[in-house]
Amino acid sequence: MRRRLLLSVTVPLRTRTLISPPLLSSPSHHLLSRSNKHSASPHDDPHDPPFSPIAKAPNPKPKQSPKARNPKPKQAPKALPSGMDKPSLPLHSDLPFDFRYSYSETDPSLRPIGYREPPRFSPFGPGRLDRKWDGLSAPATGEAAEDRVSDDRNSVLGDPLTEEEVDELVERYRHSDCSRQINLGTGGVTHNTLEDIHNHWKRAEAVRIKCLGVPTLDMDNLCFHLEDKTGGKIIYRHINILLLYRGRNYDPKQRPVIPLMLWKPLAPIYPRLVPKVAEGLTFEQTKELRNRGLNTPALMKLTRNGVYANVVERVREAFRTSDVVRLDCAYVYTSDCKKIGVKLRDLVPCIPILFKDGQIIIWRGRETQDSDQCDS
């Protein structure tokens, strides 16, 4: 009996210890009971809490200030002062010369054999100038009397400067830290350079001009075109540095009208610079001169955008002892090499016979050689 009682007592205890604690302490029981609470039918709650829409508070309208409620009427644009009105198109200029891209680096007498762009496209823009563009220049309308032009220029220049006045201007503007400076590069005296010079003359009596590149081969040509196109006076010249004086009676309000070029026109096509056979020689003689020139030591080594003021004199001296001269232009643009050859042909004079790998071979010519023999 005792064994039966023990068994009857112990068996329920074991079942309670094995079954009841896991049911009470298991977290799944709480999750299950929690999910049962939220698992209501869709008819009970129309919105599921995790995905229920959020009510947005209406944005309050900003309060308007009294000034904003009564805005001021728009004022008409202010009129420009006298002399500052927008010029009417097309522009008219009383300058007596033809408008070109470059005045010092082009020859008006040399006509091209073709154009790289249609001549009807004016670099001044369509309808902005009363002159017609012919591919090279915009010719002046009407003929201006040379006497009247020279009289107007002399009236602006006034009395000549004294030595003390010249020294004072030179000391003020010749230094490299001068703020009134214009740099002239490969293009030389271009059309838009004239406008820059007159802009400097508004606040300064003179402007410092620094010349670099091909135009420095002929500084006299640069000085001539600067004085002729601007009406100023060169009062100082040192190698490639110039000072251009505006004149005693210069009035910025009476400056000439200079319409600006909006883009650089493409250079036209000119005849071949170096013929296959030099004039007065056979093909074999020309070939021999070219080979001899390539093997001779270079007379000078030219740099890009350098100062070539003494190149002409050096070439003339070299032609006294040799009939072929080589110039090393390996660091110069190819287009600049051709321009250097053209200028040397006219200034020395000489005959370019070869442009190859940045080397310029020039021959002094048969006529120069015969004249040197006659002098000796």
Side-chain angles (χ1 to χ4, degrees):
M1 290 295 291
R2 291 181 180 178
R3 290 181 180 179
R4 291 180 180 177
L5 291 174
L6 290 173
L7 290 173
S8 62
V9 173
T10 55
V11 169
L13 290 175
R14 289 180 182 178
T15 54
R16 289 178 183 176
T17 55
L18 292 176
I19 298 174
S20 61
L23 291 174
L24 295 175
S25 61
S26 175
S28 61
H29 174 74
H30 300 286
L31 295 175
L32 184 61
S33 61
R34 187 176 180 181
S35 62
N36 290 334
K37 293 180 181 179
H38 296 288
S39 61
S41 61
H43 301 285
D44 299 338
D45 189 5
H47 300 291
D48 192 5
F51 304 99
S52 58
I54 300 175
K56 296 183 179 179
N59 294 329
K61 294 183 179 180
K63 296 182 179 180
Q64 296 182 354
S65 60
K67 295 183 180 180
R69 294 175 184 174
N70 301 322
K72 294 182 179 181
K74 295 183 179 180
Q75 297 180 357
K78 296 182 179 180
L80 295 174
S82 59
M84 296 294 291
D85 297 336
K86 186 176 181 180
S88 59
L89 300 179
L91 298 175
H92 174 74
S93 179
D94 295 329
L95 293 175
F97 52 85
D98 300 345
F99 291 164
R100 309 174 68 88
Y101 171 73
S102 177
Y103 298 104
S104 62
E105 305 306 307
T106 55
D107 186 5
S109 61
L110 186 61
R111 302 302 301 178
I113 59 177
Y115 297 94
R116 291 184 172 88
E117 62 182 358
R120 66 179 181 274
F121 295 149
S122 173
F124 295 96
R128 296 187 68 253
L129 185 64
D130 61 351
R131 303 186 183 187
K132 185 178 180 181
W133 181 260
D134 61 1
L136 292 177
S137 63
T141 55
E143 296 182 359
E146 296 181 0
D147 297 338
R148 184 179 63 83
V149 174
S150 60
D151 292 343
D152 294 343
R153 179 184 175 188
N154 293 333
S155 63
V156 173
L157 290 176
D159 297 334
L161 296 174
T162 62
E163 293 183 1
E164 292 79 8
E165 292 174 336
V166 172
D167 294 340
E168 181 183 356
L169 291 174
V170 169
E171 184 62 26
R172 190 189 308 172
Y173 296 106
R174 72 179 178 88
H175 300 285
S176 59
D177 58 349
C178 177
S179 60
R180 303 299 175 185
Q181 175 175 311
I182 294 177
N183 297 327
L184 293 187
T186 305
V189 183
T190 59
H191 180 77
N192 289 352
T193 302
L194 308 182
E195 178 70 11
D196 295 338
I197 292 174
H198 284 281
N199 289 337
H200 280 290
W201 278 351
K202 286 182 181 180
R203 301 172 181 85
E205 296 182 78
V207 58
R208 183 177 188 264
I209 300 177
K210 184 177 181 181
C211 309
L212 297 172
V214 180
T216 57
L217 285 168
D218 192 2
M219 291 298 297
D220 295 335
N221 184 42
L222 282 178
C223 294
F224 167 77
H225 284 286
L226 285 173
E227 292 183 348
D228 181 62
K229 301 303 185 294
T230 62
K233 176 77 173 175
I234 299 291
I235 60 174
Y236 176 79
R237 173 178 171 180
H238 178 67
I239 307 178
N240 66 321
I241 303 298
L242 305 174
L243 290 185
L244 186 62
Y245 176 61
R246 67 181 184 179
R248 290 184 184 272
N249 305 323
Y250 180 82
D251 185 7
K253 297 181 180 179
Q254 302 296 329
R255 55 181 291 182
V257 177
I258 304 176
L260 294 177
M261 281 192 175
L262 303 184
W263 65 83
K264 178 182 177 180
L266 297 179
I269 303 172
Y270 289 97
R272 185 183 179 91
L273 177 61
V274 179
K276 295 183 179 179
V277 180
E279 185 178 358
L281 298 178
T282 62
F283 177 78
E284 297 297 333
Q285 293 174 339
T286 304
K287 184 177 180 181
E288 181 185 357
L289 284 177
R290 289 170 178 168
N291 293 334
R292 185 150 52 91
L294 289 173
N295 295 326
T296 57
L299 176 65
M300 298 180 66
K301 187 174 184 179
L302 305 183
T303 58
R304 185 180 303 171
N305 292 332
V307 180
Y308 313 143
N310 62 339
V311 174
V312 176
E313 293 298 329
R314 293 283 302 275
V315 172
R316 288 175 180 172
E317 293 178 1
F319 277 154
R320 296 178 181 176
T321 58
S322 177
D323 59 342
V324 179
V325 172
R326 178 170 71 92
L327 298 177
D328 187 358
C329 302
Y331 298 98
V332 181
Y333 293 116
T334 304
S335 59
D336 290 350
C337 289
K338 300 293 182 64
K339 295 176 182 178
I340 292 172
V342 172
K343 282 189 172 290
L344 291 177
R345 180 192 63 184
D346 301 332
L347 297 173
V348 174
C350 60
I351 301 175
I353 59 175
L354 182 63
F355 292 91
K356 182 179 180 181
D357 299 334
Q359 308 298 316
I360 301 178
I361 310 300
I362 51 179
W363 176 49
R364 65 179 176 181
R366 187 178 294 276
E367 296 180 358
T368 308
Q369 185 176 2
D370 295 340
S371 62
D372 293 343
Q373 293 177 358
C374 294
D375 295 340
S376 61

